[in-house]
Amino acid sequence: MEPTALFHGHKQISPPQGVPILDVDPYDTDNLTQRTYFEALRAQGPFAYIPRYGVLACGGYAVTREVFSDHERFVSSRGVGLSDFGLEEPWRPASIILEVDPPYHTKTRRVIMRALSPKVVRELRDAFKADAERLIDSLLAKEEIEAVTDIAEAFPTKVFPQAVGIKEPDARMLVEFGAIVFNAIGPDNDLRNRAMARNKDIMPWILDRCSRAQLTSDGIGALFYAAADAGEISEHEAGMLVRSLLSAGVDTTVTGIGNALWCLATHPEQYARLKEDPDGMALPAFEETLRFTSPVQAFFRTAALKTEVAGIPIEEGTKILCVLGSANMDPDHWDRPEVFDISRKTVGHLALGAGIHVCVGQNIARAEGQAILRALAERVDRIEIAGEPTWRPNNAIHALDRLPLRFVPK
Ligand code: OVM
């Protein structure tokens, strides 16, 4: 057998028969912030070959859903970034929920699913509601707000660590850790290198927060340790599942909420619909934000065997960039996808993934988004843009850097 030459941390493959070559860099600043390549990607057919990284990419709805949800052929255990964990060491011990396959995945998924169940989340709703109302009230007197820090970061970093039961939270550390985890998914670029440099200071603090002693006895984290006490998982696995919550549960909801504020600020007629029925429309508005902005833009899968999708032969070891953000904008699937419409049917969007790895935190994420948008719509008559919104490049996340707003109270 020929030795496997590594290219960007994975097996170098040549473009399969019938796959067009698309000479773009999905990780350049323009593509990360403006999503410029989405249309060109979909125009190539089911897949394009990206020579710069030696990977396939897909951005059409049907094919992206097919690859993303087929966990037998397109595995997560070899990493959901460019690096193939079968061929090189991951940047940190692999996640025991995201970066594993069945049957092991089934065990950890069950524990985390129970800890984030609708029943558990229902009990958090009153606290989310009160915190959201208090936060929006506190901002009404301000001349201008920086919505990314004042709301998008402030709210999840208050309510989520509290729900998890983190005894000594630190909003800055949690937000920075999220950025690190998602930048790590990308290539060896500036964003990733800076993330790795910061990780040295942040990871020890995060891992400290994950221990039994650093968690309250009544939070979500304690439910993992209860599963350890019951012999379902080990003490170490319980800590690793807390690490997963802190990896995936902050930057994602921060981004979802920030993006929702941006959508509503830039679509006043949609904000008017939300105001007519804050209770009924807050959740649909959040869901349409997920479809329209896809906070997690793209994750990879790795072909575990030689196979075929949409008539295209795919060799074992192929990394496939599944561009969820593009699938959510595919006109072959969505009616006028470029229109932000909180009344549209959003079911089937891929912003939370699909298949056995579909976002396990979706109940709590939605509860956070709903609480903030409802509190906002009940109190704020108009949202005005007070300065140029800017996007913050990240290798996997499509998030705002700045969103200066003015709230006109009711
Ligand atoms: C994890 C995890 C889960 C989902 C997303 C994520 C890359 C991390 O289990 O650590 O971000």
Side-chain angles (χ1 to χ4, degrees):
M1 214 167 101
E2 274 181 61
T4 311
L6 281 191
F7 188 56
H8 293 280
H10 61 84
K11 190 167 151 189
Q12 168 71 302
I13 57 142
S14 25
Q17 264 311 311
V19 171
I21 289 168
L22 182 62
D23 192 13
V24 300
D25 183 356
Y27 296 99
D28 73 26
T29 304
D30 202 50
N31 279 326
L32 288 179
T33 58
Q34 306 304 316
R35 318 194 304 173
T36 321
Y37 73 107
F38 283 8
E39 215 178 312
L41 173 61
R42 289 191 303 265
Q44 307 304 311
F47 295 100
Y49 178 82
I50 314 267
R52 189 179 177 105
Y53 299 112
V55 300
L56 296 186
C58 58
Y61 180 84
V63 65
T64 304
R65 171 174 278 279
E66 177 173 348
V67 172
F68 212 64
S69 58
D70 187 338
H71 63 272
E72 293 188 344
R73 290 189 295 160
F74 304 110
V75 297
S76 291
S77 55
R78 289 165 74 166
V80 299
L82 267 171
S83 166
D84 184 340
F85 292 0
L87 302 176
E88 66 174 22
E89 279 288 302
W91 68 282
R92 59 170 188 175
S95 161
I96 64 168
I97 172 90
L98 175 73
E99 293 153 339
V100 292
D101 303 323
Y104 180 76
H105 172 266
T106 314
K107 177 180 87 166
T108 51
R109 176 89 188 186
R110 184 180 301 128
V111 172
I112 209 164
M113 190 104 102
R114 203 192 303 130
L116 297 170
S117 69
K119 179 181 175 310
V120 172
V121 172
R122 211 174 303 131
E123 283 160 19
L124 296 168
R125 278 181 193 283
D126 290 346
F128 286 8
K129 183 170 189 284
D131 273 315
E133 291 175 350
R134 201 162 26 226
L135 176 61
I136 301 297
D137 279 337
S138 77
L139 297 173
L140 290 179
K142 286 183 110 177
E143 179 71 25
E144 192 181 309
I145 63 165
E146 212 321 290
V148 171
T149 43
D150 294 348
I151 303 179
E153 292 181 358
F155 184 64
T157 56
K158 166 100 193 337
V159 301
F160 187 66
Q162 194 168 301
V164 174
I166 305 289
K167 284 182 185 167
E168 292 176 49
D170 179 323
R172 290 277 16 117
M173 295 290 255
L174 291 167
V175 166
E176 259 207 86
F177 184 58
I180 289 169
V181 165
F182 285 93
N183 273 319
I185 297 295
D188 184 13
N189 58 11
D190 258 23
L191 290 168
R192 188 173 194 281
N193 292 333
R194 269 183 272 143
M196 291 301 107
R198 285 298 289 141
N199 186 51
K200 287 169 188 60
D201 292 332
I202 300 203
M203 186 63 92
W205 181 87
I206 288 287
L207 294 181
D208 226 44
R209 305 277 79 67
C210 297
S211 70
R212 192 193 283 260
Q214 292 293 332
L215 293 161
T216 64
S217 57
D218 60 352
I220 292 167
L223 296 175
F224 298 156
Y225 283 97
D229 291 337
E232 209 175 344
I233 54 174
S234 70
E235 185 90 1
H236 175 73
E237 287 172 319
M240 284 292 281
L241 290 182
V242 180
R243 195 196 73 173
S244 281
L245 292 187
L246 301 185
S247 299
V250 177
D251 219 21
T252 48
T253 49
V254 165
T255 301
I257 289 168
N259 290 3
L261 295 168
W262 174 75
C263 288
L264 293 166
T266 53
H267 299 81
E269 80 296 344
Q270 295 300 308
Y271 187 62
R273 303 190 78 136
L274 171 59
K275 268 194 314 172
E276 282 167 22
D277 180 11
D279 220 40
M281 293 308 287
L283 198 51
F286 191 64
E287 209 67 35
E288 171 67 345
T289 297
L290 296 183
R291 182 202 66 84
F292 190 72
T293 70
S294 300
V296 176
Q297 309 211 49
F299 271 167
F300 284 90
R301 293 290 190 252
T302 313
L305 73 184
K306 184 168 180 281
T307 184
E308 199 184 292
V309 172
I312 302 297
I314 295 172
E315 58 174 288
E316 188 277 332
T318 302
K319 280 280 177 183
I320 306 177
L321 181 66
C322 299
V323 187
L324 306 169
S326 172
N328 283 339
M329 285 288 176
D330 182 357
D332 288 347
H333 182 82
W334 305 98
D335 177 34
R336 297 193 302 153
E338 304 290 338
V339 176
F340 177 73
D341 175 6
I342 69 172
S343 305
R344 80 157 68 228
K345 267 198 202 145
T346 54
V347 55
H349 74 69
L350 293 179
L352 301 170
I356 64 166
H357 292 282
V358 70
C359 177
V360 75
Q362 57 183 281
N363 300 311
I364 196 162
R366 288 199 182 95
E368 290 179 38
Q370 181 182 22
I372 266 297
L373 295 189
R374 185 178 45 208
L376 185 77
E378 283 170 346
R379 286 162 177 76
V380 174
D381 189 47
R382 271 183 304 126
I383 308 173
E384 293 174 354
I385 297 273
E388 186 66 28
T390 56
W391 296 86
R392 181 184 303 173
N394 177 289
N395 285 329
I397 296 262
H398 184 235
L400 290 149
D401 188 45
R402 296 181 51 78
L403 180 60
L405 297 179
R406 252 187 310 272
F407 285 170
V408 180
K410 278 192 173 171

